[in-house]
Amino acid sequence: MLGRTAGGLYWMFRYLERSENIAWLLEAGMRIALTNSLELDDEWDSVLLTAGQRMAYVERHDEVEPAAVIDFLLRDQHNPSSVRSVVELARNNAREVRTALTREVWEATNATWLAVADALRRPVPTRDLPRVLSLIRQESAYVRGALHGTMLRNDIYNFSRLGTFLERADNTARILDVKYYVLLPSPLDVGGQLDNAQWETILRSVSAQRAFRWRNGGNVTAWGIADFLILDRQMPRSLLFCYERIDRNLAHLATDYAQQHKSHELSHNLRLRLADRSIDEIIEYGLHEFLSECIRAGNELGISIEHDYRFDC
Amino acid sequence: MEPREGFFDEMYGLAGNVRAPYRAYGNWFADEQPRRLLAKTAEAERVFRRTGITFNVYGDDEAEERLIPFDIVPRILGASEWATIERGVQQRVRALNAFLHDVYHRREIFKAGRIPVGLVADNAAFLPVMLGQSPPGGVYTHIVGVDIIRSDEGRFMVLEDNCRTPSGVSYMLENRETMMQMFPELFAGRRIRPVGDYPQNLRTSLEASAPPAADGPAVLAVLTPGIHNAAYFEHAFLADQMGAELVEARDLEIVDGRVAMRTTEGPLRIDVLYRRVDDDYLDPLVFRPDSVLGVPGIMDVYRVGGITIANAPGGGIADDKAIYSYVPEIIEFYTGEKPILDNVPTWRCSEPESLGYVLEHLSELVVKEVHGSGGYGMLVGPAASKRELREFRKKLQTRPANYIAQPTVALSTVPVLTRAGLAPRHVDLRPFALVAPGRVQVSPGGLTRVAMKKNSLVVNSSQGGGTKDTWVVDD
């Protein structure tokens, strides 16, 4: 496979994953707005922070204002990470790597782009927001379904999945890092119940409220959420889950190509950070430090993969 | 439907009676609800949009990707009509390959005085670097599209040859795919010759022209200028369907005297490059130095048999409009046969007598630039304003050799579906020929291009033309 094709696949799936993540973040933000449960402006500010777009937003806007934040994250073409921008980037990458995709994956991606571009042609009024956000998530699920159902499990698939999981791990780590202070035990509530709205926001940002309850029943603790999103082996958005998948995808590539690279070592180390760790150890080590390190190591791994597999020709 | 006065309609003839190849279709059509068919047209458009069968228009930011209008009424040819076209195209393509070999080797045809040598020597499409060079397998034009028009019941004429990088074959294939999905009942129980094996035939025929350096199964790649090229969809489509890699110049490098693509596992040599990049851009060391679409040094590899370039560089000399008028002579010279398909009568403005005639009859003629393509830079006399005529007259007088002129041929019509029912629109036909050593294969039918505007004779997609599925049926 061409190095450029591998890069195109990797970025196509990173961007698709990002579009879905932003939709979830907005959904969580909207929820808070509707229930008036938290300090609103703070909440939209942390949505921007989690999306990694606070700087970019502040450059273009004086105030953190809900409608402006929503428009910035959904539609703004000056924002390279707005849903509209990333879906277009994903589709352009798909067009470049058209020959590596099945007809189904290509058509799903193209249809996603057509539908999202159409839905985001004009500013989205609040009453339409739920519909638009659910459309974005559905479209993204549609591409994923086509990928799983029709693609060979070869290098093409592995590069696609690497993009998905690196983006996803980064997203989960950032959500936790922005909210880590909520999860930290304070003398006041050690062992006690968390503020309802706070934990809901976190779980909602990764669409995991239901999953969490299945795992933990009604017992919602800071430890429990941190444990779930960092160390749960079955939760497809947890850091450990993502890192294990990345490691496995890279291992497949190493076998197929009979080539070992620096990426393999980095990925191995990343996984070791979590394996056999308990959440107590992590919190004792410092949750913020730990998460920052994970984000940094993830970036380093991404760059190494680009280099090892000659993404830039 | 009322046929257009004075024009041959392929469904209704001149008299308005459904012709034999259309009989079965005509019966089906008569039983159909017009509203259902119009809805099908809209459905086809959605399918094309969704599939991404679009083309880019240069200098048109607003609509970066446009659809080529698709009409659901097929263009139908009877088996015997098709047999004439097929043989005619094969003959023509063989002769053009022989001509190219001659131009770059012994130049017998010029010595015999059948063509003025100046036409070639001073022609930008002639590449001196190809002199004495024999492409692998002796094939110059691996893929040829021949533009054919029809003036009446029996008469097909060639309007133009495309020996460089003819496009449109993906539309031929997708149009058929779409028709089969929308109207399966039309295909059931009827013998419509299939076209779906084109990509496999293309692959086989390119493999048959592999270079001497190839060991083992030939590695094929399609070279595209990139996603902004007007025909990018087609490049990706053909690479995909052939199972070849789609590469851009930046993916290629020369390694150990071979052209190689940069893969995730390191460089991989390419044996046959189906390039959709013009000669000028192929190798900045030999042709345009500013080209970023080509591979520096590829011509050196080519010269020593390290790669097959399809079509071969320098083939453009055979489809040059100035050469076109000599193709009947070319066919006779190399095959010893009479041309099966005639040319459209053509005046070479380089000849003073012809120029005189053209200037005198400008408002009746179509004048084309010798090197132009895509319907740009041409004058359609009967449709031109006084001012356009005046301006073109000046151009002709300044650079007569730059132009040829043809009568406005009475292009046949085929009905298209409009809101008001069937209406005649002018069409042409581009069959695609694949050339392998010792073999010319013509895909049954080809691409029918149709002028969607009433009375318009311009079928080019860049000028608003559309396409139709093209059927060859048993007589």
Side-chain angles (χ1 to χ4, degrees), chain B residues 21-93:
Chain B
Y22 277 89
R23 208 152 284 152
Y25 182 80
N27 291 338
W28 173 86
F29 187 86
D31 291 339
E32 281 296 309
Q33 294 297 324
R35 200 163 343 128
R36 182 181 99 97
L37 294 180
L38 284 171
K40 285 280 182 185
T41 303
E43 184 188 323
E45 210 162 282
R46 278 195 300 277
V47 170
F48 282 120
R49 196 50 89 195
R50 196 188 142 84
T51 323
I53 308 180
T54 55
F55 75 108
N56 304 341
V57 181
Y58 296 118
D60 190 352
D61 266 358
E62 204 31 42
E64 196 199 321
E65 288 171 27
R66 273 207 271 164
L67 290 182
I68 295 186
F70 171 71
D71 178 70
I72 61 163
V73 182
R75 196 262 190 92
I76 308 178
L77 297 165
S80 55
E81 294 173 331
W82 172 249
T84 307
I85 297 175
E86 185 178 31
R87 282 189 298 118
V89 168
Q90 285 170 329
Q91 178 195 51
R92 202 166 168 103
V93 167

Coordinates of all heavy atoms in Angstrom, one line a residue, chain B residues 21-93:
Chain B
P21 N -34.1 -1.6 -33.9 CA -33.3 -1.8 -32.6 C -34.1 -1.3 -31.4 O -33.9 -1.8 -30.3 CB -32.0 -1.0 -32.8 CG -31.9 -0.8 -34.3 CD -33.3 -0.7 -34.8
Y22 N -35.0 -0.4 -31.6 CA -35.7 0.3 -30.5 C -37.1 -0.4 -30.3 O -37.8 0.1 -29.4 CB -36.0 1.8 -30.8 CG -34.8 2.6 -30.5 CD1 -33.8 2.9 -31.4 CD2 -34.7 3.2 -29.2 CE1 -32.7 3.7 -31.0 CE2 -33.6 4.0 -28.8 CZ -32.6 4.2 -29.8 OH -31.5 5.0 -29.5
R23 N -37.4 -1.4 -31.1 CA -38.8 -1.9 -31.0 C -39.2 -2.3 -29.6 O -40.2 -1.9 -29.1 CB -39.0 -3.0 -32.0 CG -40.5 -3.1 -32.5 CD -40.6 -3.6 -33.9 NE -40.1 -2.7 -34.9 CZ -39.6 -3.0 -36.1 NH1 -39.4 -4.2 -36.4 NH2 -39.3 -2.0 -37.0
A24 N -38.4 -3.2 -29.0 CA -38.7 -3.8 -27.7 C -38.8 -2.6 -26.7 O -39.7 -2.5 -25.9 CB -37.7 -4.8 -27.3
Y25 N -37.8 -1.7 -26.8 CA -37.8 -0.6 -25.8 C -39.0 0.3 -26.0 O -39.6 0.7 -25.0 CB -36.5 0.2 -26.0 CG -36.4 1.3 -25.0 CD1 -36.0 1.1 -23.7 CD2 -36.8 2.6 -25.3 CE1 -36.0 2.1 -22.8 CE2 -36.8 3.7 -24.4 CZ -36.4 3.4 -23.1 OH -36.3 4.4 -22.2
G26 N -39.4 0.5 -27.2 CA -40.5 1.4 -27.5 C -41.8 0.8 -26.9 O -42.6 1.5 -26.4
N27 N -42.0 -0.5 -27.0 CA -43.1 -1.2 -26.4 C -43.2 -1.0 -24.9 O -44.2 -0.7 -24.4 CB -43.2 -2.7 -26.8 CG -43.4 -2.9 -28.2 OD1 -44.0 -2.0 -28.9 ND2 -43.0 -4.1 -28.7
W28 N -42.0 -1.2 -24.3 CA -41.9 -1.0 -22.9 C -42.3 0.4 -22.5 O -43.1 0.7 -21.6 CB -40.5 -1.4 -22.4 CG -40.2 -1.1 -21.0 CD1 -40.5 -1.9 -19.9 CD2 -39.7 0.1 -20.4 NE1 -40.1 -1.3 -18.7 CE2 -39.6 0.0 -19.0 CE3 -39.2 1.3 -21.0 CZ2 -39.1 0.9 -18.2 CZ3 -38.7 2.3 -20.2 CH2 -38.6 2.1 -18.8
F29 N -41.7 1.3 -23.2 CA -41.9 2.8 -22.9 C -43.3 3.2 -23.0 O -43.8 3.9 -22.2 CB -41.0 3.6 -23.9 CG -41.0 5.1 -23.5 CD1 -40.1 5.5 -22.6 CD2 -41.9 6.0 -24.1 CE1 -40.1 6.9 -22.2 CE2 -41.9 7.3 -23.7 CZ -41.0 7.7 -22.8
A30 N -44.0 2.6 -24.1 CA -45.4 3.0 -24.3 C -46.3 2.7 -23.1 O -47.3 3.3 -22.9 CB -45.9 2.3 -25.6
D31 N -45.9 1.6 -22.4 CA -46.7 1.2 -21.2 C -46.3 1.9 -19.9 O -46.9 1.6 -18.9 CB -46.5 -0.3 -21.0 CG -47.2 -1.1 -22.1 OD1 -48.1 -0.5 -22.8 OD2 -46.8 -2.3 -22.3
E32 N -45.3 2.7 -20.0 CA -44.8 3.3 -18.7 C -45.5 4.6 -18.4 O -46.0 5.3 -19.3 CB -43.3 3.6 -18.9 CG -42.4 2.4 -18.7 CD -42.5 1.8 -17.3 OE1 -42.4 2.6 -16.3 OE2 -42.7 0.6 -17.2
Q33 N -45.7 4.9 -17.1 CA -46.2 6.2 -16.7 C -45.1 7.2 -16.8 O -44.0 7.0 -16.1 CB -46.7 6.1 -15.2 CG -47.8 5.2 -15.0 CD -49.1 5.7 -15.7 OE1 -49.3 6.9 -15.8 NE2 -49.9 4.7 -16.3
P34 N -45.3 8.3 -17.5 CA -44.2 9.4 -17.6 C -43.8 9.8 -16.2 O -42.6 10.1 -16.0 CB -44.9 10.5 -18.3 CG -46.1 9.9 -19.0 CD -46.5 8.7 -18.3
R35 N -44.8 9.9 -15.2 CA -44.4 10.4 -13.9 C -43.4 9.5 -13.2 O -42.4 9.9 -12.6 CB -45.6 10.6 -13.1 CG -45.3 11.5 -11.9 CD -46.5 12.2 -11.2 NE -47.8 12.1 -11.9 CZ -48.8 11.6 -11.2 NH1 -48.8 11.1 -10.0 NH2 -50.0 11.6 -11.8
R36 N -43.6 8.2 -13.4 CA -42.7 7.2 -12.8 C -41.2 7.4 -13.4 O -40.2 7.3 -12.7 CB -43.1 5.8 -13.0 CG -42.2 4.7 -12.4 CD -42.7 3.3 -12.6 NE -42.0 2.6 -13.7 CZ -40.9 1.8 -13.5 NH1 -40.5 1.6 -12.3 NH2 -40.4 1.3 -14.5
L37 N -41.2 7.6 -14.7 CA -39.9 7.7 -15.3 C -39.2 9.0 -14.9 O -38.0 9.0 -14.7 CB -40.1 7.7 -16.8 CG -40.6 6.4 -17.4 CD1 -40.7 6.4 -18.9 CD2 -39.6 5.2 -17.0
L38 N -40.0 10.1 -14.7 CA -39.3 11.3 -14.3 C -38.8 11.1 -12.8 O -37.7 11.6 -12.5 CB -40.3 12.5 -14.3 CG -40.6 13.1 -15.7 CD1 -41.7 14.0 -15.7 CD2 -39.3 13.7 -16.3
A39 N -39.5 10.4 -12.0 CA -39.1 10.1 -10.7 C -37.8 9.3 -10.7 O -36.8 9.5 -9.9 CB -40.1 9.4 -9.9
K40 N -37.7 8.4 -11.7 CA -36.5 7.6 -11.9 C -35.3 8.5 -12.2 O -34.2 8.2 -11.8 CB -36.7 6.6 -13.0 CG -37.6 5.4 -12.6 CD -36.8 4.4 -11.8 CE -37.7 3.2 -11.4 NZ -37.0 2.3 -10.5
T41 N -35.5 9.5 -13.0 CA -34.5 10.4 -13.4 C -33.9 11.1 -12.1 O -32.7 11.2 -11.9 CB -35.0 11.5 -14.4 OG1 -35.5 10.8 -15.5 CG2 -33.8 12.4 -14.8
A42 N -34.8 11.5 -11.3 CA -34.3 12.1 -10.0 C -33.6 11.1 -9.1 O -32.6 11.4 -8.5 CB -35.5 12.7 -9.2
E43 N -34.1 9.9 -9.2 CA -33.4 8.8 -8.4 C -32.0 8.6 -8.9 O -31.1 8.5 -8.1 CB -34.2 7.5 -8.5 CG -33.7 6.4 -7.7 CD -34.5 5.1 -8.0 OE1 -35.7 5.2 -8.2 OE2 -33.8 4.0 -8.0
A44 N -31.9 8.6 -10.2 CA -30.5 8.4 -10.8 C -29.6 9.5 -10.4 O -28.4 9.2 -10.0 CB -30.6 8.4 -12.3
E45 N -30.1 10.7 -10.3 CA -29.2 11.8 -9.9 C -28.8 11.6 -8.5 O -27.6 11.8 -8.2 CB -30.0 13.1 -10.0 CG -29.2 14.3 -10.3 CD -30.0 15.4 -10.9 OE1 -30.3 15.4 -12.1 OE2 -30.3 16.3 -10.1
R46 N -29.7 11.1 -7.6 CA -29.3 10.9 -6.2 C -28.2 9.8 -6.1 O -27.3 9.9 -5.4 CB -30.5 10.5 -5.4 CG -31.3 11.7 -4.9 CD -32.2 11.3 -3.8 NE -33.2 10.3 -4.2 CZ -34.3 10.5 -4.8 NH1 -34.6 11.8 -5.1 NH2 -35.2 9.6 -5.2
V47 N -28.4 8.7 -7.0 CA -27.4 7.7 -7.0 C -26.0 8.2 -7.4 O -25.0 7.9 -6.7 CB -27.8 6.5 -7.9 CG1 -26.7 5.5 -8.1 CG2 -29.1 5.8 -7.4
F48 N -26.0 9.0 -8.4 CA -24.7 9.5 -8.9 C -24.1 10.4 -7.8 O -22.9 10.3 -7.6 CB -24.9 10.3 -10.2 CG -25.1 9.5 -11.4 CD1 -26.2 9.5 -12.2 CD2 -24.1 8.6 -11.8 CE1 -26.3 8.8 -13.3 CE2 -24.2 7.8 -12.9 CZ -25.3 7.9 -13.6
R49 N -24.8 11.3 -7.2 CA -24.4 12.2 -6.2 C -23.7 11.4 -5.0 O -22.7 11.6 -4.5 CB -25.6 13.0 -5.7 CG -25.5 14.2 -4.9 CD -24.6 15.3 -5.3 NE -25.2 16.3 -6.2 CZ -24.5 17.2 -6.8 NH1 -23.2 17.2 -6.7 NH2 -25.0 18.1 -7.6
R50 N -24.5 10.3 -4.6 CA -24.1 9.5 -3.5 C -22.8 8.7 -3.8 O -22.0 8.5 -3.0 CB -25.3 8.5 -3.2 CG -25.2 7.8 -1.9 CD -26.3 6.8 -2.0 NE -25.8 5.7 -1.3 CZ -25.9 5.5 0.1 NH1 -26.4 6.5 0.8 NH2 -25.4 4.5 0.6
T51 N -22.8 8.2 -5.0 CA -21.7 7.4 -5.4 C -20.4 8.3 -5.7 O -19.3 7.8 -5.8 CB -22.0 6.6 -6.7 OG1 -23.4 6.2 -6.7 CG2 -21.1 5.4 -6.9
G52 N -20.7 9.6 -5.8 CA -19.6 10.5 -6.0 C -19.1 10.5 -7.5 O -17.9 10.8 -7.8
I53 N -20.0 10.2 -8.4 CA -19.7 10.2 -9.8 C -19.8 11.6 -10.3 O -20.8 12.0 -10.9 CB -20.6 9.3 -10.6 CG1 -20.6 7.9 -10.0 CG2 -20.1 9.2 -12.1 CD1 -21.5 6.9 -10.7
T54 N -18.8 12.4 -10.0 CA -18.9 13.8 -10.3 C -17.7 14.2 -11.1 O -16.7 13.5 -11.1 CB -18.9 14.7 -9.0 OG1 -17.8 14.3 -8.2 CG2 -20.2 14.4 -8.2
F55 N -17.7 15.4 -11.7 CA -16.5 15.9 -12.3 C -16.3 17.3 -11.8 O -17.2 18.0 -11.5 CB -16.6 15.7 -13.8 CG -17.4 16.7 -14.5 CD1 -16.9 17.8 -15.3 CD2 -18.8 16.7 -14.4 CE1 -17.7 18.7 -15.9 CE2 -19.6 17.6 -15.1 CZ -19.0 18.6 -15.8
N56 N -15.0 17.7 -11.8 CA -14.7 19.0 -11.4 C -14.6 20.0 -12.6 O -14.2 19.6 -13.6 CB -13.3 19.0 -10.7 CG -13.2 18.0 -9.6 OD1 -14.2 17.6 -9.1 ND2 -12.0 17.7 -9.2
V57 N -15.1 21.2 -12.3 CA -15.0 22.2 -13.4 C -14.0 23.2 -13.1 O -14.0 23.8 -12.0 CB -16.4 22.9 -13.5 CG1 -16.3 23.9 -14.7 CG2 -17.5 21.8 -13.8
Y58 N -13.0 23.4 -14.0 CA -12.0 24.3 -13.7 C -12.5 25.7 -13.6 O -13.4 26.1 -14.3 CB -10.9 24.3 -14.9 CG -10.3 22.9 -14.9 CD1 -10.4 22.2 -16.1 CD2 -9.5 22.5 -13.9 CE1 -9.8 20.9 -16.2 CE2 -8.9 21.2 -13.9 CZ -9.0 20.5 -15.1 OH -8.5 19.2 -15.2
G59 N -12.0 26.5 -12.6 CA -12.3 27.9 -12.5 C -13.8 28.1 -12.0 O -14.4 29.1 -12.3
D60 N -14.3 27.1 -11.4 CA -15.7 27.2 -10.9 C -15.8 26.8 -9.5 O -16.1 25.6 -9.2 CB -16.6 26.3 -11.8 CG -18.1 26.6 -11.5 OD1 -18.4 27.3 -10.6 OD2 -18.9 26.1 -12.3
D61 N -15.5 27.7 -8.6 CA -15.3 27.4 -7.1 C -16.6 27.0 -6.5 O -16.7 26.0 -5.7 CB -14.8 28.6 -6.4 CG -13.3 28.5 -6.2 OD1 -12.7 27.5 -6.7 OD2 -12.7 29.5 -5.7
E62 N -17.7 27.7 -6.9 CA -19.0 27.5 -6.3 C -19.4 26.0 -6.4 O -19.8 25.4 -5.4 CB -20.0 28.4 -7.0 CG -21.2 28.9 -6.3 CD -21.0 29.0 -4.8 OE1 -20.0 29.5 -4.3 OE2 -22.0 28.6 -4.1
A63 N -19.4 25.5 -7.6 CA -19.9 24.1 -7.8 C -18.6 23.3 -8.1 O -18.4 22.9 -9.2 CB -20.9 24.1 -8.9
E64 N -17.8 23.0 -7.1 CA -16.6 22.4 -7.4 C -16.8 21.0 -8.0 O -16.1 20.6 -8.9 CB -15.7 22.2 -6.1 CG -14.3 21.9 -6.4 CD -13.6 21.3 -5.2 OE1 -13.8 21.8 -4.1 OE2 -12.8 20.4 -5.4
E65 N -17.8 20.3 -7.5 CA -18.1 19.0 -8.1 C -19.5 19.0 -8.7 O -20.5 19.3 -8.1 CB -18.0 18.0 -7.0 CG -16.6 17.7 -6.6 CD -16.6 16.8 -5.3 OE1 -17.5 16.0 -5.2 OE2 -15.7 16.9 -4.6
R66 N -19.5 18.7 -10.0 CA -20.8 18.7 -10.7 C -21.2 17.3 -11.2 O -20.3 16.5 -11.4 CB -20.8 19.7 -11.8 CG -21.2 21.1 -11.4 CD -21.7 21.9 -12.5 NE -20.7 22.6 -13.2 CZ -20.9 23.1 -14.4 NH1 -22.0 23.0 -15.1 NH2 -19.9 23.7 -15.1
L67 N -22.4 17.1 -11.4 CA -22.9 15.9 -12.0 C -23.0 16.1 -13.5 O -23.4 17.1 -14.0 CB -24.3 15.5 -11.5 CG -24.4 15.1 -10.1 CD1 -25.9 14.8 -9.8 CD2 -23.6 13.9 -9.8
I68 N -22.7 15.0 -14.2 CA -22.9 15.1 -15.6 C -24.4 14.6 -15.8 O -24.8 13.6 -15.3 CB -22.0 14.1 -16.4 CG1 -20.6 14.7 -16.3 CG2 -22.4 14.1 -17.9 CD1 -19.6 13.9 -17.2
P69 N -25.2 15.4 -16.5 CA -26.6 15.0 -16.6 C -26.7 13.6 -17.2 O -26.0 13.3 -18.2 CB -27.2 16.1 -17.5 CG -26.3 17.2 -17.4 CD -24.9 16.7 -17.1
F70 N -27.6 12.8 -16.7 CA -27.8 11.5 -17.2 C -29.2 11.3 -17.7 O -30.2 11.7 -17.0 CB -27.5 10.5 -16.1 CG -27.9 9.0 -16.4 CD1 -27.1 8.3 -17.4 CD2 -29.0 8.4 -15.9 CE1 -27.4 7.0 -17.7 CE2 -29.3 7.1 -16.2 CZ -28.5 6.4 -17.1
D71 N -29.4 10.8 -18.9 CA -30.7 10.6 -19.4 C -31.0 9.1 -19.4 O -30.2 8.3 -19.8 CB -30.8 11.2 -20.8 CG -32.2 11.0 -21.4 OD1 -33.1 11.6 -20.9 OD2 -32.3 10.1 -22.3
I72 N -32.3 8.8 -19.0 CA -32.6 7.4 -18.8 C -33.0 6.7 -20.1 O -33.2 5.5 -20.1 CB -33.7 7.2 -17.8 CG1 -35.0 7.9 -18.2 CG2 -33.2 7.7 -16.4 CD1 -36.2 7.4 -17.4
V73 N -33.2 7.4 -21.2 CA -33.5 6.7 -22.5 C -32.3 6.2 -23.1 O -31.4 7.0 -23.4 CB -34.3 7.6 -23.5 CG1 -34.7 6.9 -24.7 CG2 -35.5 8.3 -22.8
P74 N -32.1 4.9 -23.3 CA -30.8 4.4 -23.8 C -30.7 4.7 -25.3 O -31.6 4.9 -26.0 CB -30.9 2.9 -23.6 CG -32.4 2.6 -23.6 CD -33.1 3.8 -23.0
R75 N -29.4 4.7 -25.7 CA -29.1 4.8 -27.1 C -28.9 3.4 -27.6 O -28.0 2.7 -27.0 CB -27.9 5.7 -27.3 CG -27.7 6.2 -28.7 CD -26.7 5.4 -29.5 NE -26.5 6.2 -30.7 CZ -25.5 7.0 -30.8 NH1 -24.6 7.1 -29.9 NH2 -25.3 7.7 -31.9
I76 N -29.7 2.9 -28.6 CA -29.6 1.5 -28.9 C -29.1 1.3 -30.4 O -29.6 2.0 -31.3 CB -31.0 0.9 -28.8 CG1 -31.6 1.2 -27.4 CG2 -31.0 -0.6 -29.0 CD1 -33.0 0.7 -27.2
L77 N -28.1 0.5 -30.5 CA -27.6 0.1 -31.8 C -27.9 -1.3 -32.1 O -27.7 -2.2 -31.2 CB -26.1 0.4 -31.8 CG -25.6 1.8 -31.6 CD1 -24.1 1.8 -31.3 CD2 -25.9 2.7 -32.8
G78 N -28.3 -1.6 -33.3 CA -28.4 -3.0 -33.8 C -27.1 -3.7 -34.0 O -26.1 -3.0 -34.2
A79 N -27.1 -5.0 -33.9 CA -25.8 -5.7 -34.1 C -25.1 -5.4 -35.4 O -23.8 -5.3 -35.4 CB -26.1 -7.2 -34.0
S80 N -25.8 -5.3 -36.5 CA -25.1 -5.0 -37.7 C -24.6 -3.6 -37.8 O -23.5 -3.4 -38.3 CB -26.0 -5.3 -38.9 OG -27.2 -4.6 -38.8
E81 N -25.3 -2.7 -37.2 CA -24.8 -1.3 -37.2 C -23.5 -1.3 -36.4 O -22.5 -0.7 -36.7 CB -25.8 -0.4 -36.5 CG -27.1 -0.2 -37.2 CD -28.1 0.6 -36.4 OE1 -28.1 0.6 -35.2 OE2 -29.0 1.3 -37.1
W82 N -23.6 -2.0 -35.2 CA -22.4 -2.0 -34.4 C -21.2 -2.7 -35.1 O -20.1 -2.3 -34.9 CB -22.7 -2.7 -33.1 CG -21.5 -3.0 -32.3 CD1 -20.9 -4.1 -32.0 CD2 -20.6 -1.9 -31.7 NE1 -19.7 -3.9 -31.3 CE2 -19.5 -2.6 -31.1 CE3 -20.7 -0.5 -31.7 CZ2 -18.5 -1.9 -30.5 CZ3 -19.7 0.2 -31.0 CH2 -18.6 -0.5 -30.4
A83 N -21.5 -3.8 -35.8 CA -20.4 -4.5 -36.5 C -19.6 -3.6 -37.4 O -18.3 -3.6 -37.4 CB -20.9 -5.7 -37.3
T84 N -20.3 -2.7 -38.0 CA -19.6 -1.7 -38.9 C -18.7 -0.8 -38.1 O -17.5 -0.6 -38.4 CB -20.6 -0.8 -39.7 OG1 -21.5 -1.7 -40.3 CG2 -19.9 0.1 -40.6
I85 N -19.2 -0.3 -37.0 CA -18.5 0.6 -36.1 C -17.2 -0.1 -35.6 O -16.1 0.4 -35.6 CB -19.3 1.2 -35.0 CG1 -20.5 2.0 -35.5 CG2 -18.5 1.9 -34.0 CD1 -21.4 2.5 -34.5
E86 N -17.5 -1.3 -35.1 CA -16.4 -2.1 -34.5 C -15.2 -2.3 -35.5 O -14.1 -2.1 -35.1 CB -17.0 -3.4 -34.0 CG -15.9 -4.2 -33.2 CD -16.5 -5.5 -32.7 OE1 -17.4 -6.1 -33.3 OE2 -16.1 -6.0 -31.6
R87 N -15.6 -2.8 -36.6 CA -14.5 -3.1 -37.6 C -13.9 -1.8 -38.0 O -12.6 -1.7 -38.2 CB -15.1 -3.8 -38.8 CG -15.4 -5.3 -38.6 CD -15.7 -6.0 -39.9 NE -17.0 -5.5 -40.4 CZ -17.1 -4.9 -41.6 NH1 -16.0 -4.8 -42.4 NH2 -18.2 -4.4 -42.0
G88 N -14.7 -0.7 -38.2 CA -14.1 0.6 -38.6 C -13.1 1.1 -37.5 O -12.1 1.6 -37.9
V89 N -13.5 1.0 -36.3 CA -12.6 1.5 -35.2 C -11.3 0.6 -35.1 O -10.2 1.2 -35.0 CB -13.4 1.4 -33.8 CG1 -12.4 1.7 -32.7 CG2 -14.5 2.5 -33.8
Q90 N -11.5 -0.7 -35.3 CA -10.3 -1.6 -35.2 C -9.3 -1.2 -36.4 O -8.1 -1.1 -36.1 CB -10.7 -3.0 -35.4 CG -11.3 -3.6 -34.1 CD -12.0 -4.9 -34.3 OE1 -12.5 -5.3 -35.3 NE2 -12.0 -5.7 -33.2
Q91 N -9.9 -1.0 -37.5 CA -9.1 -0.7 -38.7 C -8.3 0.7 -38.4 O -7.1 0.8 -38.7 CB -10.0 -0.5 -39.9 CG -9.2 -0.2 -41.2 CD -10.2 0.3 -42.3 OE1 -11.0 1.2 -42.0 NE2 -10.1 -0.3 -43.5
R92 N -9.1 1.6 -38.0 CA -8.5 3.0 -37.7 C -7.4 2.9 -36.7 O -6.4 3.5 -36.9 CB -9.7 3.8 -37.3 CG -9.5 5.3 -37.5 CD -10.8 6.1 -37.3 NE -10.5 7.5 -37.3 CZ -10.7 8.3 -38.3 NH1 -11.2 7.9 -39.4 NH2 -10.3 9.6 -38.2
V93 N -7.7 2.2 -35.6 CA -6.7 2.2 -34.5 C -5.4 1.5 -34.9 O -4.3 1.9 -34.6 CB -7.4 1.5 -33.3 CG1 -6.3 1.2 -32.2 CG2 -8.4 2.4 -32.7

